[in-house]
């Protein structure tokens, strides 16, 4: 797990203990696999107890024109489907004991895996920056201030402080806030449902096929967005029996936490007229609003540390491939953590004014680039290799049996991106097949099925012929 540094001086007979992560991207030894399914459940339950999840749930009424009932239906279906993918990825952690995106070297090669880690790194930057904006909006609504920039900077510093310590502190803080925010979310739902303003006439809202599938796709995306870092936490689970525990702890935590907060967001979206869902939440809650908004702001600042932590895992994976002389240590991890937080903070400061538009496109594009990777990874792990990998080879610069570049994995991934283009539906680009389909976004379905089939048959043929091991 993490090495525990005990200060030799004892105060009052008790040792002073400071926990700093020491394993970084290296395999977690079996003797240090002390993770529990309960702890993992609260990690993934808490990670969605954030203002950003409220904003995402509000997209149903505000962006897609869906009624409350149809928004909730799409949210539930999307998260239930997407959660399966994320949980299947999480079950890989106890078996291999390494971060999620480092495992991509098994499908894409030593250097090819770094390309995928770089894509995931950009994703983590986007989520971290987005969380900074909505956390700052929460504080601004509480203090009735326009100082969004100050809020962004404060929240970035808080998240950075937690992330520097690594896994132990991130996990413990998320567990605490998951309970506190969970209670506040449930109370908030009851308060808002009892507020007559919430259900004032919304004649313009109802059902439309494109909006429904758009919101459903966001639910799928939301869960699959966790796929690139679920093993970062499940790798601390025991090797024997840990895979099943990791699957259910991750699945239940992610789905329950997300659906609960997105339902709150859907209710808030009915009254969000200016694009600021957190301000609308405060208005609907009345005197209880400042308490909830302040708690959300603090929780977002703390839990956002998970985006830095996993983003840095990807950064270190990429960094290690640059030169054989590079050795990953605590100093490099901490330095990368600081640089990463600063970069995301600058992005949040620059994009805060057009946040909803930028975030909506970001989530959709994220789906397009993650789906093919997920398909390739899951087919390789569960169907072709059945979880049997030589982890040591993933740290060799020649890639060992996985090579420097795996053309089968990389071509399958690229095809998965290209086949989605005709079906894409975004504000920046809409594919030619979108209109005949009523602008229902089906790109993600094609983007999963096609690379899964191509990679599965092509890789099996290569293994059978002895071209690859």
């Amino acid at each position: 797990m993490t090495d525990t540094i005990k200060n030799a001086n004892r105060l009052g007979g008790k040792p002073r203990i400071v926990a700093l992560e020491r394993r970084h991207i290296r395999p977690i030894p079996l003797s240090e696999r002390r993770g529990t399914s309960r702890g993992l459940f609260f990690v993934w339950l808490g990670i969605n107890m954030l203002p950003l999840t409220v904003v995402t749930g509000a997209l149903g009424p505000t962006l897609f024109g869906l009624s409350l009932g149809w928004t909730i239906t799409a949210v539930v279906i999307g998260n239930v489907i997407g959660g399966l993918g994320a949980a299947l990825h999480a079950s890989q952690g106890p078996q291999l004991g390494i971060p999620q995106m480092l495992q991509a070297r098994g499908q894409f090669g030593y250097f090819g895996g770094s390309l995928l880690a770089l894509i995931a790194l950009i994703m983590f930057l986007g989520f971290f920056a987005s969380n900074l904006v909505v956390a700052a909006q929460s504080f601004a609504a509480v203090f009735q201030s326009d100082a969004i920039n100050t809020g962004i900077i404060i929240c970035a510093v808080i998240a950075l402080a937690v992330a520097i310590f690594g896994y132990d502190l991130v996990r413990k803080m998320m567990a605490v806030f998951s309970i506190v925010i969970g209670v506040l979310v449930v109370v908030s739902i009851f308060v808002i449902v009892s507020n007559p303003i919430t259900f004032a006439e919304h004649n313009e809202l109802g059902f439309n096929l494109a909006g429904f599938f758009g919101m459903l796709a966001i639910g799928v995306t939301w869960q699959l967005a966790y796929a690139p870092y679920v093993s970062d936490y499940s790798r601390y689970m025991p090797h024997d029996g840990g895979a099943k525990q990791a699957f259910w702890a991750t699945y239940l935590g992610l789905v329950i936490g997300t659906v609960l907060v997105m339902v709150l967001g859907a209710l808030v979206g009915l009254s969000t007229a200016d694009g600021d869902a957190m301000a609308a939440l405060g208005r609907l809650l009345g005197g209880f609003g400042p308490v909830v908004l302040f708690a959300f702001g603090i929780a977002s600042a703390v839990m956002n540390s998970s985006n830095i932590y996993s983003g840095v895992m990807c950064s270190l994976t990429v960094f290690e491939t640059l030169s054989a002389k590079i050795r990953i240590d605590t100093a490099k991890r901490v330095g990368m953590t600081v640089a990463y937080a600063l970069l995301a903070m600058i992005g949040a400061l620059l994009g805060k004014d057009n946040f909803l538009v930028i975030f909506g496109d970001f989530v959709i594009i994220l789906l397009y680039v993650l789906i093919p990777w997920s398909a390739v990874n899951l087919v390789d792990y569960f169907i072709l290799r059945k979880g049997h990998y030589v982890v040591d080879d993933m740290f060799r610069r020649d890639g060992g049996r996985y090579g420097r570049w795996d053309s089968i994995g990389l071509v399958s991934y690229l095809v998965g991106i290209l086949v989605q283009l005709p079906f894409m539906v975004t504000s920046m680009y809409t594919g030619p097949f979108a209109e005949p389909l009523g602008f229902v976004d089906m790109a993600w379905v094609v983007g999963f099925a096609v690379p899964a089939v191509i990679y599965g048959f092509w890789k099996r043929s290569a293994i059978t012929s002895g071209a690859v091991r």
Side-chain angles (χ1 to χ4, degrees), residues 45-183:
L45 179 72
I47 203 168
N48 286 304
M49 299 290 181
L50 300 172
L52 189 60
T53 319
V54 177
V55 172
T56 305
L59 293 177
T62 60
L63 183 64
F64 296 112
L66 295 174
S67 65
L68 177 64
W70 285 115
T71 297
I72 293 175
T73 302
V75 162
V76 171
I77 295 175
N79 280 281
V80 165
I81 294 174
L84 290 172
L88 285 171
H89 286 290
S91 68
Q92 300 170 15
Q95 179 71 20
L96 304 180
I98 55 178
Q100 190 74 62
M101 293 313 296
L102 196 143
Q103 297 175 21
R105 292 175 178 175
Q107 296 90 45
F108 302 95
Y110 183 84
F111 291 99
S114 290
L115 291 180
L116 276 296
L118 182 60
I119 292 172
L121 167 63
I122 296 171
M123 178 200 77
F124 292 126
L125 279 171
F127 270 115
F128 181 69
S130 299
N131 275 307
L132 289 179
V133 174
V134 290
Q137 289 177 343
S138 295
F139 287 130
V142 172
F143 298 109
Q144 297 182 352
S145 169
D146 295 328
I148 299 294
N149 288 351
T150 302
I152 288 174
I153 295 172
I154 293 174
C155 292
V157 171
I158 294 173
L160 173 61
V162 177
I164 283 176
F165 281 89
Y167 168 80
D168 265 346
L169 189 56
V170 172
R171 174 182 59 83
K172 291 172 182 176
M173 295 296 286
M174 289 169 67
V176 171
F177 277 97
S178 67
I179 298 173
V180 174
I181 301 299
V183 172

Side-chain angles (χ1 to χ4, degrees), residues 288-300:
F288 187 53
V291 176
V292 174
L293 290 174
F294 185 78
F296 260 129
I298 294 294
S300 185

Side-chain angles (χ1 to χ4, degrees), residues 63 74 79 94 122 195 289 313 394 420 448:
L63 183 64
N79 280 281
I122 296 171
N195 190 335
M313 292 297 104
M394 296 184 186
Q420 295 180 81
F448 186 90

Side-chain angles (χ1 to χ4, degrees), residues 294-314:
F294 185 78
F296 260 129
I298 294 294
S300 185
V302 172
M303 294 183 188
N304 211 6
S305 59
S306 64
N307 285 309
I308 304 182
Y309 174 71
S310 291
V312 169
M313 292 297 104
C314 292

